[in-house]
C-alpha cells in the first residue's frame, strides 16, 4: 500500500523458496539465490504476470499472499527507472558468491 518505487531485481519475476531454505540467515540461502538467478524458470512462483496496468491493489493477482519472494539487488540501492521515466537502469550483471550472473 502506498507509493511504490522500482528496485533492481535479481530475477525477472518472483520465485518460490524451497521448503528447506526459508531465510537469508540459512546456510543454503546464497546457493538458492544463485540457482534462482541462473535458472529463474525452475523457481517461478506463479504463471500470472508481475504487472498489469488495469490492476488495482484489490484486483491484482498478487493481492493474496504468495509463498514466494522477488529478490532485490542489495548492492544497488538506487531506485531504477520505470519505462521512460528516470535515469538509472538495472540491466547489468550481478555478483553472487563470487560469480557474475
Amino acid at each position: 500500500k502506498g507509493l511504490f518505487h522500482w528496485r533492481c531485481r535479481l530475477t525477472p519475476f518472483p520465485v518460490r523458496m524451497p521448503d528447506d531454505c526459508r531465510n537469508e540467515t540459512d546456510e543454503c540461502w546464497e546457493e538458492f539465490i544463485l540457482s534462482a538467478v541462473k535458472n529463474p524458470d525452475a523457481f517461478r512462483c506463479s504463471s500470472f504476470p508481475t504487472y498489469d496496468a488495469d490492476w488495482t491493489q484489490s484486483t491484482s493477482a498478487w493481492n493474496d499472499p504468495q509463498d514466494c519472494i522477488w529478490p532485490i539487488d542489495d548492492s544497488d540501492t538506487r531506485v531504477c527507472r520505470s519505462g521512460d521515466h528516470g535515469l538509472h537502469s538495472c540491466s547489468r550483471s550481478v555478483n553472487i558468491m563470487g560469480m557474475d550472473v
Side-chain angles (χ1 to χ4, degrees), residues 45-66:
C45 181
S46 178
S47 61
F48 46 79
T50 56
Y51 175 76
D52 184 317
D54 294 327
W55 282 344
T56 64
Q57 182 173 354
S58 62
T59 64
S60 166
W62 293 98
N63 190 44
D64 294 324
Q66 306 290 322

Side-chain angles (χ1 to χ4, degrees), residues 9-10 37 73 75-76 89-96 99-101:
R9 304 287 180 170
L10 296 176
V37 169
D73 180 358
S75 68
D76 189 342
S89 175
C90 296
S91 56
R92 62 179 181 75
S93 64
V94 176
N95 188 291
I96 300 172
M99 301 176 67
D100 287 330
V101 290

